């Protein structure tokens, strides 16, 4: 094997990274284009009983990867996707402007999916000066990405394919048996147990075969619909005695047609021979679940300004996918969010007439990262950021020295990403008004 740094290694490396995927290399040739137009209009001059805004948008995604990333149609061309949408929003203040109601209705349509209407309504009520509560009910949907729809990419672990029906037809899910992760590994376990008991390969395959009966995943079993969401949120924001600021919220979300990555194992034979599943073709595609998926979360931020000029602030956020344990085996939710996150900072813009500073500590919990590239745990980490400033009134300028991740506690934000280290900086800012 060529050693890193050697001439042979560099030659091989350059050849691989400059050869398109379609020709056995690692190079993407993605020249896809997005054409978009959108606009909105405020009807306040025409309608006076409420503030009404209307808007619309139109987009066209023109896929062009020269076959290195996206699927080709029967003519050898890549696909284009058009989508359009429009909305109307109305706001009205009531009770001497103490209550503000906002409602909206939006419609969106994509070439590959049925149109969806999504209403929203919210209320903001001022309890008294500096304090308010808010309540909202929102519906929304998530349009699948171009890759979720049309990717067709072989990788070492699986062939990544879009969720559209054309792929199930192209790869013969109806005629050539396909199994989910749980069924596949249950079969392999039964086969290996039979081998361990002294059975030959053919007999072991026959012994394990009942696991596969009735467990095939056909084209109709891997649905691909628009993910939809309903969310209720309540929040409070208050400034107490012009020193203590509180901002908090809680939300609860219910997803239908929740979308995520799903592995499918296809027999290497078309006759349903149990031996064929021992060396399967593995596909990873995007599917939507029939069962509801639920999430919830909250956050609270506190800030206190002392008379001496010091400001102490912090916030805490909590988010969870409440029924993650009920998801099908092998389904990747992509809920790549730490359950707990904390930030605390102390600052004083005018420690002296000329010197100011800010020190922050942040921490986030370990969490499960899921993607087509890799799945695994991202470790918890904490960092310290600091900055000191020095004012030059005569020059109407301010010098700043600081650092992010001051102690170089290297961390990953996503599985497979490079680690993040420290950034140190110095700057001078000129402000004519010296704010």
């Amino acid at each position: 094997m060529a050693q890193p740094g050697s001439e042979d290694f560099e030659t091989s490396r350059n050849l691989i990274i400059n050869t398109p995927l379609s020709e056995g290399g690692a190079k993407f040739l993605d020249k896809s284009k997005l054409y978009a137009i959108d606009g909105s209009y405020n009807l306040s001059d025409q309608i006076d009983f409420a503030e009404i805004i209307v808007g619309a948008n139109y987009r066209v995604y023109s896929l062009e990867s020269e076959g290195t990333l996206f699927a080709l149609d029967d003519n050898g061309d890549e696909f284009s996707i058009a989508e359009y949408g429009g909305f109307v929003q109305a706001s009205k203040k009531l009770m001497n402007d103490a209550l503000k109601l906002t409602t909206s209705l939006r419609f969106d349509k994509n070439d590959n999916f049925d149109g969806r209407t999504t209403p929203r309504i919210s209320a903001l009520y001022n309890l008294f000066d500096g304090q308010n509560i808010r309540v909202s009910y929102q519906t929304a949907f998530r349009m699948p990405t171009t890759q979720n729809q049309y990717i067709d990419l072989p990788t070492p672990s699986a062939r990544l394919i879009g969720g559209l029906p054309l792929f199930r037809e192209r790869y013969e899910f109806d005629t050539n048996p396909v199994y989910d992760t749980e069924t596949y590994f249950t079969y392999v376990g039964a086969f290996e147990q039979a081998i361990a008991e002294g059975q030959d390969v053919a007999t072991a395959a026959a012994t394990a075969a009942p696991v596969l009966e009735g467990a095939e995943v056909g084209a109709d079993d891997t649905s691909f619909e628009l993910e939809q969401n309903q969310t209720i949120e309540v929040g409070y924001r208050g400034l107490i005695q012009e020193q203590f600021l509180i901002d908090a919220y809680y939300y609860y979300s219910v997803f239908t047609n929740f979308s995520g990555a799903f592995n499918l194992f296809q027999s290497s034979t078309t006759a349903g021979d149990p031996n064929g599943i021992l060396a399967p073709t593995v596909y990873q595609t995007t599917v939507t679940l029939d069962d509801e998926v639920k999430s919830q979360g909250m956050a609270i931020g506190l800030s206190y300004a002392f008379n001496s000029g010091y400001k102490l602030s912090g916030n805490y956020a909590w988010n969870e996918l409440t029924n993650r344990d009920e998801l099908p085996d092998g389904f990747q939710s992509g809920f790549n969010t730490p359950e707990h996150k904390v930030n605390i900072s102390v600052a004083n813009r005018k420690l002296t007439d000329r010197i100011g500073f800010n020190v922050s500590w942040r921490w986030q919990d370990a969490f499960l990262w899921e993607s087509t590239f890799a799945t695994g745990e991202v470790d918890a980490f904490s960092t310290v950021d600091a900055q000191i400033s020095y004012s030059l009134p005569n020059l109407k300028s301010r010098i700043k020295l600081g650092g992010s991740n001051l102690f170089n506690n290297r961390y990953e934000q996503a599985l497979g990403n490079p680690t993040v280290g420290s950034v140190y900086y110095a700057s001078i800012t000129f402000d004519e008004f010296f704010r």
Side-chain angles (χ1 to χ4, degrees), residues 177-195:
V178 178
Y179 305 96
D180 61 25
T181 301
E182 182 178 6
T183 299
Y184 172 71
F185 283 106
T186 300
Y187 174 82
V188 171
F191 175 84
E192 291 176 344
Q193 177 64 33
I195 291 293

Side-chain angles (χ1 to χ4, degrees), residues 137-160:
Y137 168 74
Q138 306 178 50
T139 63
F141 68 92
R142 180 168 64 169
M143 193 72 72
T145 66
T146 54
Q147 290 193 31
N148 287 157
Q149 295 180 58
Y150 284 110
I151 193 171
D152 192 0
L153 176 66
T155 73
S157 58
R159 187 178 193 98
L160 310 183

